[in-house]
Amino acid sequence: MRRDTSLLFLLMLPAAAFFTAFFLLPVVHLALVGASGKDGAAAYSAIVTDANYLRALIATLGISAATTFLTLVISGFAGVFLQRNVFPGRSALVAMLTLPLAFPGVVVGFMVIILAGRQGLIGTISQALTGEKVVFAYSMAGLLMGYVYFSIPRTILTVMATAEKLDPKLEEAARSLGASTLRVVLDVILPGLKPAFISAGAICFATAMGAFGTAFTLATRIDVLPMVIYTEFTLQANIAVAAALSLVLGLVTWAALAVARTAAGSTVAAAG
Amino acid sequence: MSQTSDAREKPLSIVLEKCAKTFADGTRALEPVDLAINGGETIVFLGPSGCGKTTTLRIIAGLEQPDAGGRVLFDGEDVTNLAIEKRNVGMVFQSYALFPNMTVAGNIGYGLRIKGWSKADLAKRVTEMLALMRIERLADRAIDQLSGGQRQRVALARALAVRPRALLLDEPLTALDARLREDLRVEIDDLLRSLNITTIYVTHDQAEAMALGDRIVVMQQGRVAQIGTPRDIYQQPANAFVAEFVGTMNKLSGRVEGGIFVTAGGRMPWPEAPAGATRVMFRPEDVSIAVSDGHLNGTIASLFFLGDRVRLFVDVGDAQPIVIEASNRRKLSRGDRIGLSVDPRSFVAIDH
Ligand SMILES: Nc1ncnc2c1ncn2[C@@H]1O[C@H](COP(=O)(O)OP(=O)(O)OP(=O)(O)O)[C@@H](O)[C@H]1O
Ligand SMILES: [Mg+2]
């Protein structure tokens, strides 16, 4: 028995060492660095006391929530549809929809610019049609579009995998009891997809909170927290604040996910 | 209005006219079937796997459309194009199909909630159904905390709560163990008789079919092989398939010679033999063991003790041994020679 335990301990050692070296030590160090600035531990409260930081935090939370919500709505419909309908070109479509998985955030940002930038497709078309050039690549809308585009593949795949396991008999039972299509969706399909929504939504939210490449490429007029951290760190050399903000970003994201997971109440909770 | 009383108008009659079904992939699941189901009747679809029982049931339910030309009539009214949610039929599946996100009471009340019943009426009806199925204790349980038998009771209660015009059950007991299946079968039988509701019951278990059905529809490869009361089906099977699928049937080949059927194992009197018969069939229970020499003589090839009786396989020189049953008091063993006599009135002549 004792040998088993020590063997287990031995086998755990590499993982423990890895965890300590690449997670525990940096985080502890980060926490110390965060408190090492001229304001000491007050750097941590700056995120709520400093209007700029607070605005960035709220904007980041907002855009992440919106990204999660939009992604779940779009992928929910598309995933169930793709899983249930067989048509020519279906697998090609699925492959295309999941393509963004392979793109780094910078490329996604670049694509948003091509689509909605000053020389973008949407601008050109809208100018030809209405004489007014629609440009939203550099605003929150552009960022949102990039994030959603980036989040859809994973979510669609999760939804499709879960939709495949839904028992069609449940829907038939509901219909035999008089349920309309809408009621079937609300009472049977959505509850069935809830686990997928919670897990995919959580990943989606966390990714959006920490995404940097897309925001960086779209640069102008956007203040999300990862951008603020970057600016503090490289341009202002304000290492303590950058460290404090990073830690807060991590904690807030983690807390939001924990809430989403435990609040197994409604799917809306997961989307928030 | 007294929504919770069980007074019911005349039970629904169902007619299928030339209902065939070809699936999108080209599978021909059902040849054109004509069928008339009387109001209040319990009809059982019986047949081997893949013969089209479920498909027929789903056409009646409205989950499947018959091929062009087929019609489904409810009380004479054409409902072929009416969606299932408008047909008001109760369904019970082998897999129960209970909503996992609702409690037992939530499941039972679901159909009533859809119909917009008031909270008080709904609660009253749910309580009634829980009592009917004797599962009052389970009202607030989650579905995954129920045994198979309890789940099937909930499924029945859910289907019956909305007072459907017909009850459609697809192998409701197949997933349960033998003892429980027997108990629930008896319960369902009592329930159906007391409710006087038109019921279609799908099974591949012939004992279940015999016990429950007012009439049985025996199906074979997408066709109706025979429709009749359990007694008809058992005693006058329409063809060899029905004869062999329902119960145990012995068959011997030979020829008729002046009121005698001559076969390898002996000569059996058969006054009413059809001319030119080359095969005769009979049930094990119509065979008796003769004291001395019988019409038929053979050796016991194997024997199985069944508790109350003994089942014997007797080799009478034909391709297959015949099956008979004997009282367990007899001292019989493998290899014994025995004589048998068969009541000629029980003979079934089917030549194909
Ligand atoms: N959706 C479908 N698409 C193609 N073929 C199907 C479909 N559903 C059923 N079939 C085929 O139709 C035939 C009849 O099927 P059905 O389910 O009615 O059989 P069953 O009598 O209920 O059998 P079992 O006792 O195994 O349930 C089978 O050959 C089956 O493979
Ligand atoms: Mg079936």
Side-chain angles (χ1 to χ4, degrees), chain B residues 50 53-55 94 170-171 202:
Chain B
K53 307 180 294 287
T54 298
T55 305
Q94 179 183 338
D170 194 351
E171 309 211 22
V202 167

Side-chain angles (χ1 to χ4, degrees), chain A residues 169-170 172 175-176 187 191, chain B residues 58 85 89 93 98 101 110:
Chain A
K169 295 266 177 295
L170 283 182
E172 292 176 354
R175 290 178 62 201
S176 76
D187 297 335
Chain B
R58 289 170 63 85
E85 54 265 35
V89 291
F93 302 93
L98 297 172
N101 50 320
Y110 182 76

Side-chain angles (χ1 to χ4, degrees), chain B residues 35 47 54 84 106 118 120 143 145 168 174 191 199 264 290 310 327 345:
Chain B
L35 190 62
T54 298
I84 179 171
S118 75
I143 298 307
Q145 297 167 352
L168 312 178
T174 306
L191 187 69
T199 304
V310 182
S327 135
R345 282 168 305 178

